Amino acid sequence: MSDSLQTDSVIPAKPSAFKRAIRKFMNFSDFDTLYISPNRYNYALMTTHFSNFEYYSVTSNLPQPQKLSFSPNPHNKIGLYFGWRWIFLGWSVDVDDIYRKTNRRNKGTEFDLSLYSSKLGVDIFYRRTGNDYKIHKVTGFDDIASDYSESFDGLKVDMKGLNLFYVFNYRRFSYPAAFSQSTNQRRSAGSMIAGFSISTHDLNFDYTRLPQAIQGSMNEDMKVEHIKYTNISLTFGYAYNWVFARNWLACLSLTPAVAYKTSRIEKIESQTNDWYKNFNIDFILRAGVVYNNSKYFAGTSFVGRSYDYYRDNFSMNNGFGTLQVYAGFNFYLKKQYKKKK
C-alpha cells in the first residue's frame, strides 16, 4: 500500500528551460489565427513561368569617370511543380529550347531554391553565366554613344551563396502566404527581418575582347582580369503583407545587408595583384502579389539581390533577380479538416 502511494505521488520532471526554448522555436504552427490561417490541404500542384534577369557594371573615376554595363538576354523557363507544405519540387524547361535551337556553350547554369516557414527562411543559389552578354550602356568614352550596344563574350561569372533569415513577428506576419502559398494572410501585418548571408563570387573579365574604340581609352584601373571575393553579411530589414481585398495579398520586403568582403584582384601582367578587405552595403528585395482562396491560387513574385564591390578607383556592381508567374491548386484535405460522417 505504501509503495502504491509513493508511486502515485511521483511528479514528472519538467523539461529544462533549454528544451522548452527549443520546442517553442521548432513549433512552426504557432501563429495568431486572426491574422494567419493554415493551409487545409496536404498537397499542391502548380504551373509556373520564370524570367531571370542579370546585370554587371564596371566603373572607374580617374583620370575621367567611366562606366561599362553588361547584361545577357533574360532567360525564360516554364515548369510544373508538386508541393508538400512549404516545399515545392518539380521540373522546368528553357523556353528557348522549345521554340528554337540554342548554342549550349553560350548558356549558363542557374539554380535558385527558397524555403519559407513561419519563423525561418533560406535562399540557396548558384549561377554560372554563359558568354551571351551584351554591352548595353557606355559612359565617359569619347565618340561613343551612351546607348551603344554590342555582343561581348569576355565576361564569365561563377556565383554561389546562402541566405538565412528570421521573422520576428511570425505570429501575425507570414512569408509563406506571399511566396509559397502554404498559409493565408487574413489581416495586414509587418515584421522586422534579420539574418546572415555568405556568398562567393568569381569573375573573369577579358577586356581585350572589348571593341578597340573602348579599349584604347579605358582607364588603367578598369583593366582587371580576374576578381574573386567572398561576401559575408548581416542583414536587417522589414517586410509587410497588405491584405487589400478578400483573398488578395501584396508583399514587399527590403533587407539591406552590411557586407564584409575579402578579395583577390588579378590585374594585367604589367601590374601586381592585390588583396582587399572592406565593407559595403548590399540589398535583398522580395515582392509579390497573390490571390489564394485556400483551394486555388495564382500570383506573381520577384526576388532580387544586388552586390556592390569597391576599391580605390574601381567599383563593380552586379545584381540578379527572378520573376515568377504561377497558378495552381491545393488538394487532399488534412485529416483534421475532413468532415466526419
Side-chain angles (χ1 to χ4, degrees), residues 77-338:
K77 296 181 179 181
I78 55 176
L80 182 66
Y81 288 79
F82 173 78
W84 175 71
R85 296 188 178 180
W86 37 272
I87 300 175
F88 277 89
L89 299 174
W91 171 83
S92 63
V93 61
D94 198 307
V95 175
D96 288 342
D97 290 341
I98 299 175
Y99 292 104
R100 62 181 183 271
K101 293 182 179 180
T102 56
N103 185 348
R104 306 300 299 183
R105 292 179 303 173
N106 291 342
K107 299 190 66 173
T109 300
E110 300 164 353
F111 173 82
D112 289 276
L113 174 65
S114 295
L115 301 176
Y116 303 95
S117 69
S118 59
K119 301 178 182 179
L120 298 174
V122 58
D123 300 317
I124 302 171
F125 59 89
Y126 172 75
R127 304 175 78 86
R128 186 180 67 229
T129 65
N131 55 3
D132 60 346
Y133 280 89
K134 290 185 177 180
I135 304 170
H136 72 86
K137 189 174 182 180
V138 177
T139 303
F141 291 84
D142 297 335
D143 302 323
I144 301 178
S146 61
D147 58 353
Y148 175 89
S149 179
E150 184 173 328
S151 296
F152 177 63
D153 62 358
L155 181 62
K156 293 182 174 62
V157 181
D158 191 302
M159 181 191 314
K160 48 186 173 290
L162 169 72
N163 298 324
L164 293 172
F165 56 89
Y166 178 80
V167 178
F168 287 91
N169 189 23
Y170 58 85
R171 299 197 74 249
R172 294 186 175 184
F173 169 85
S174 174
Y175 254 143
F179 297 104
S180 63
Q181 302 79 50
S182 58
T183 59
N184 292 73
Q185 187 84 40
R186 295 306 182 189
R187 294 185 180 182
S188 300
S191 178
M192 303 301 295
I193 309 292
F196 169 81
S197 175
I198 184 170
S199 60
T200 61
H201 306 250
D202 196 334
L203 183 145
N204 286 285
F205 177 49
D206 187 355
Y207 70 92
T208 64
R209 304 187 73 87
L210 289 167
Q212 278 300 131
I214 294 178
Q215 282 190 56
S217 56
M218 281 181 69
N219 291 349
E220 286 298 314
D221 283 332
M222 295 179 72
K223 296 179 180 180
V224 172
E225 294 183 337
H226 186 202
I227 301 173
K228 185 174 184 178
Y229 71 91
T230 299
N231 188 91
I232 302 173
S233 59
L234 297 177
T235 62
F236 193 79
Y238 188 78
Y240 190 77
N241 279 348
W242 176 35
V243 180
F244 60 90
R246 180 178 175 82
N247 298 324
W248 282 94
L249 170 66
C251 177
L252 181 63
S253 169
L254 180 62
T255 313
V258 178
Y260 174 74
K261 294 177 171 65
T262 176
S263 61
R264 177 179 173 83
I265 309 296
E266 294 181 5
K267 301 180 181 179
I268 58 178
E269 294 181 359
S270 60
Q271 299 183 35
T272 58
N273 298 333
D274 288 326
W275 281 92
Y276 285 90
K277 297 179 181 180
N278 56 7
F279 287 90
N280 294 137
I281 301 295
D282 299 330
F283 292 93
I284 302 174
L285 171 70
R286 296 180 178 90
V289 177
V290 60
Y291 172 82
N292 189 348
N293 67 2
S294 294
K295 178 66 175 179
Y296 302 98
F297 59 86
T300 182
S301 64
F302 177 80
V303 178
R305 305 173 183 90
S306 70
Y307 297 92
D308 297 324
Y309 176 83
Y310 298 97
R311 68 173 179 83
D312 294 342
N313 200 31
F314 175 84
S315 64
M316 182 183 69
N317 311 93
N318 69 284
F320 62 91
T322 300
L323 176 66
Q324 180 183 11
V325 180
Y326 57 87
F329 62 93
N330 298 302
F331 62 98
Y332 196 77
L333 278 168
K334 294 178 181 177
K335 185 177 180 180
Q336 63 268 35
Y337 298 110
K338 292 181 179 179

